[in-house]
Amino acid sequence: MKRIARHVGVAAAIVVALIVFAAVSAWPNIGTNPDGARLSRYAHSPQWHGDRFDNPLPMYSNIKGGIFQLLRSQPGEEPDRPVPTVDSSALYAAAPASGLRITWFGHSSMLVEIDGTNIVVDPLWSERASPFPWLGPERWYEPPVPIENLPRIDAVLVSHDHYDHLDRASIQALNARGVRFIVPLGIGSHLVGWGVPEQRITELDWWQETTVGDVRVVSTPSRHASGRLSPRSNQTLWTGFALVGPAHRAFYSGDTGLNDTFVDVGEKLGPFDVTMIESGQYDPQWPDWHLGPEQAVRVHEEVRGRVLIPVHWGLIKLAHHAWTEPAERVLAAAACRHAEVLIPEPGQAVEPTLHPKLAHWWPRQRWYTAVQHPIVASRRGDPNDLFPTAACPKPADSVRHYQAHR
């Protein structure tokens, strides 16, 4: 019995040591939830309900179905060969000829150069989108442009505090350059905890705005959630952003499910020369959390976008679909709607108003269509009450248009 007790004691000690190790390694990355005076300010927000932020539309999730497929994986969900990337560092010495240039670094990490103002969006330069440096979604390629090679940065925008959008190491590297941070309500608490001075943080509620140079930065509604491995979820808000310059306009959706606010965004702040809309990491088990490709094209139309750059794909695996499927389905949906799409290689700087011709750089592999695997959001959290879907208006023309893109 003494031997068994000794073995049990050793095993328990190992488990405790592992838990302590995990906690210590994750602790700096988790961040600090708002409290005290900061929380009391949020009580005046229309999005604050009781003790947390909430969506006007409830979100549906099939928790049981999501758990059952958690460890499932199929061929094609991650690249089996190197993903091509472009280092655009040399281009940043000169301003964009058109006044508007977008560099997509993979997932939702971007540089937006608009009317003389340089803005980084949801920077993710770390190896993993996770609180743990040794566990969690791992990037498929090195950052295409080293963070130190970025041009002068006037502001950093953060859409919400999930790890694939709020990355501590990237925030601290950009903070060292003395940049300004524009974030939704609550995220300032995380930033202050990581050493960002309070005076360089601007927190916005939906429809509030600030200016950076000559550019208005407007927080726009989204349908999502927040939280960073903490029992206190939804203590920080989630948002999209409209960038309204003297000559150009850009829209970034942030992470969002479909909702009824995008027409208002288009009417109040559009039309947009370019939209960067979340198009990947979707699943029918949680259709209200992310748009998916077809609804991304719908949102592009509703906000009155001219050129769509799909984002939130192409860097890490967060859902069970082929890694190339978001690009293919966006092109197919856009062909139906006769919408213009640009899909640059990660790190490739493009000027959307010049309508560049881009190569089909991702591999051709099996993917499921919107008919085979539909992603359709619920209206109010009820899976039996869905937003209507639109059929392709001119199937024959759309097929020819789509094949031309391939």
Side-chain angles (χ1 to χ4, degrees):
M1 289 296 294
K2 289 182 178 179
R3 181 179 299 176
I4 294 174
R6 186 164 57 249
H7 287 323
V8 170
V10 170
I14 291 173
V15 170
V16 170
L18 289 174
I19 292 173
V20 171
F21 170 74
V24 169
S25 66
W27 187 258
N29 297 317
I30 292 174
T32 305
N33 272 333
D35 55 17
R38 195 182 291 271
L39 269 181
S40 67
R41 298 205 306 265
Y42 305 151
H44 301 289
S45 167
Q47 282 57 255
W48 186 261
H49 298 275
D51 61 351
R52 64 184 58 205
F53 292 105
D54 206 353
N55 294 291
L57 297 179
M59 295 195 299
Y60 167 73
S61 298
N62 181 357
I63 298 175
K64 180 179 179 181
I67 291 174
F68 281 160
Q69 69 172 22
L70 195 61
L71 299 178
R72 188 191 73 189
S73 186
Q74 297 182 16
E77 292 182 357
E78 298 190 73
D80 59 4
R81 67 194 76 173
V83 177
T85 63
V86 176
D87 186 347
S88 295
S89 300
L91 293 179
Y92 302 138
S98 66
L100 177 65
R101 184 165 60 197
I102 310 294
T103 310
W104 174 63
F105 302 119
H107 205 60
S108 295
S109 184
M110 291 172 285
L111 169 65
V112 179
E113 299 168 89
I114 177 170
D115 295 344
T117 297
N118 299 341
I119 295 175
V120 167
V121 179
D122 284 351
L124 179 60
W125 266 262
S126 288
E127 185 68 21
R128 295 181 185 274
S130 168
F132 305 104
W134 43 272
L135 179 69
E138 185 176 10
R139 64 185 307 136
W140 300 328
Y141 47 85
E142 292 298 312
V145 176
I147 202 166
E148 61 271 17
N149 288 4
L150 294 174
R152 179 201 79 252
I153 301 301
D154 299 298
V156 173
L157 308 185
V158 177
S159 64
H160 63 296
D161 72 1
H162 287 159
Y163 289 96
D164 52 325
H165 297 262
L166 179 63
D167 172 49
R168 177 183 65 87
S170 301
I171 293 295
Q172 291 181 323
L174 289 161
N175 179 47
R177 300 177 61 161
V179 305
R180 180 182 173 191
F181 293 85
I182 302 173
V183 300
L185 298 179
I187 289 184
S189 183
H190 292 309
L191 302 188
V192 169
W194 293 334
V196 179
E198 188 85 49
Q199 64 270 22
R200 285 201 272 111
I201 301 171
T202 301
E203 290 189 339
L204 299 177
D205 201 348
W206 293 346
W207 299 115
Q208 290 182 340
E209 64 181 82
T210 187
T211 57
V212 181
D214 293 328
V215 175
R216 294 168 57 202
V217 179
V218 186
S219 170
T220 60
S222 68
R223 186 187 188 188
H224 200 56
S226 66
R228 291 177 69 82
L229 203 67
S230 166
R232 294 172 57 199
S233 61
N234 292 355
Q235 299 292 291
T236 65
L237 189 59
W238 43 96
T239 193
F241 289 103
L243 308 180
V244 181
H248 297 92
R249 300 181 182 218
F251 173 72
Y252 169 51
S253 68
D255 277 13
T256 183
L258 191 62
N259 60 77
D260 53 11
T261 64
F262 297 112
V263 171
D264 290 339
V265 172
E267 290 178 350
K268 294 178 180 180
L269 302 167
F272 295 98
D273 298 284
V274 63
T275 67
M276 293 84 71
I277 298 183
E278 173 252 283
S279 307
Q281 315 311 322
Y282 46 84
D283 194 283
Q285 309 292 347
W286 23 275
D288 298 343
W289 288 71
H290 293 153
L291 288 168
E294 295 75 32
Q295 294 180 147
V297 174
R298 170 176 173 164
V299 169
H300 169 73
E301 291 185 317
E302 290 185 348
V303 300
R304 301 167 64 203
R306 292 175 177 141
V307 177
L308 165 63
I309 297 178
V311 300
H312 206 251
W313 75 286
L315 179 63
I316 54 178
K317 174 188 169 182
L318 298 176
H320 292 295
H321 56 67
W323 79 270
T324 60
E325 184 176 293
E328 301 285 10
R329 284 176 59 163
V330 162
L331 284 178
C336 261
R337 311 303 304 177
H338 301 288
E340 183 175 355
V341 176
L342 288 179
I343 305 182
E345 294 182 36
Q348 182 180 12
V350 296
E351 299 189 42
T353 59
L354 300 183
H355 309 284
K357 302 299 181 184
L358 303 182
H360 187 294
W361 53 267
W362 58 95
R364 304 183 188 279
Q365 60 182 40
R366 180 183 178 185
W367 54 277
Y368 291 103
T369 68
V371 173
Q372 294 169 314
H373 283 183
I375 304 296
V376 184
S378 75
R379 289 178 181 270
R380 298 174 184 84
D382 180 354
N384 298 310
D385 181 14
L386 306 179
F387 277 95
T389 57
C392 188
K394 294 183 179 179
D397 290 346
S398 298
V399 168
R400 286 195 291 271
H401 187 76
Y402 171 56
Q403 287 174 340
H405 281 79
R406 291 178 63 85

